[in-house]
């Protein structure tokens, strides 16, 4: 669940590790769809972050379970219930088992890679730079600098042609 939520929100690992069950609030968007607002406290202060709608059904089930287990506790915890400090070993094992330890550029994947995954997918799916930056708790300039290259000529042509 941790991977899904981070990949669908753009949280920094430390932000995800600090979330409490009470930091997750259901709401309906302007189209009437169910979603969740996460109150995140991190590097840039407190902000609301919204999950991609594809994750909502899984979050529903997970949140129902976590609320029953420990409504005042952490949203994510280690198997023994302790606070998450790092998931590096678990991620490395899962990636090794899947045979995808490195990107096509030879870079080793990390938990932080999920944040990059979120940004790239959001931009490729037409989410505006401002919205991506705000949800991730960073600046438009950082999004443009690190992820602007994801907007290829074909993407620009498609969007500008509409």
């Amino acid at each position: 669940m941790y991977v899904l939520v981070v990949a669908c929100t753009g949280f920094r690992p430390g932000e995800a590790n600090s979330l409490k069950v009470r930091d997750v609030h259901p709401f309906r968007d302007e189209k009437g769809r169910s979603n969740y607002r996460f109150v995140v406290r991190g590097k840039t202060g407190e902000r609301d972050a919204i999950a991609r709608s594809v994750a909502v059904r899984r979050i529903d089930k997970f949140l129902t379970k976590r609320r029953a287990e420990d409504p005042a506790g952490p949203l994510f915890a280690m198997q023994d219930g302790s606070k998450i400090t790092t998931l590096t070993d678990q991620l490395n094992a899962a990636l090794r088992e899947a045979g995808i330890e490195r990107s096509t550029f030879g870079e080793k994947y990390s938990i932080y890679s999920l944040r990059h995954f979120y940004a790239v997918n959001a931009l490729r799916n037409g989410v505006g730079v401002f919205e991506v930056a705000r949800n991730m708790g960073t600046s438009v300039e950082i999004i443009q600098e690190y992820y602007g290259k994801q907007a290829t000529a074909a993407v620009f042509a498609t969007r500008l042609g509409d």
Side-chain angles (χ1 to χ4, degrees):
M1 182 50 65
Y2 183 96
V3 169
L4 177 69
V5 170
V6 174
C8 288
T9 58
F11 294 149
R12 293 174 182 90
E15 293 171 340
N17 297 352
S18 298
L19 284 169
K20 304 281 187 213
V21 173
R22 68 176 176 263
D23 295 329
V24 187
H25 307 279
F27 75 98
R28 293 207 172 269
D29 69 13
E30 291 178 351
K31 292 182 178 180
R33 297 176 297 190
S34 295
N35 204 329
Y36 286 96
R37 174 178 65 90
F38 294 79
V39 179
V40 180
R41 292 161 198 85
K43 180 178 173 181
T44 57
E46 187 174 292
R47 73 177 188 284
D48 288 347
I50 308 301
R52 292 191 58 225
S53 60
V54 298
V56 169
R57 291 177 73 198
R58 298 279 308 276
I59 293 170
D60 281 338
K61 287 182 177 182
F62 177 72
L63 197 55
T64 298
K65 181 179 176 250
R66 290 299 297 136
R67 284 183 173 146
E69 293 170 349
D70 188 359
L75 182 61
F76 302 111
M78 298 302 287
Q79 204 165 15
D80 66 1
S82 64
K83 181 177 169 39
I84 292 175
T85 54
T86 181
L87 294 174
T88 301
D89 293 342
Q90 293 87 339
L91 178 67
N92 288 341
L95 292 172
R96 192 170 33 259
E97 186 175 315
I100 53 170
E101 294 177 78
R102 297 189 178 274
S103 73
T104 55
F105 302 108
E107 298 167 342
K108 188 166 176 26
Y109 288 116
S110 68
I111 296 291
Y112 210 85
S113 299
L114 299 169
R115 183 170 164 83
H116 296 280
F117 174 83
Y118 169 80
V120 168
N121 278 318
L123 293 170
R124 285 184 177 167
N125 286 308
V127 179
V129 175
F130 175 78
E131 289 84 6
V132 172
R134 185 171 178 183
N135 209 53
M136 292 177 67
T138 192
S139 69
V140 168
E141 293 78 19
I142 292 294
I143 298 298
Q144 289 173 325
E145 181 180 341
Y146 288 98
Y147 306 107
K149 61 183 172 241
Q150 300 302 324
T152 63
V155 171
F156 274 133
T158 302
R159 290 196 190 129
L160 294 172
D162 286 341

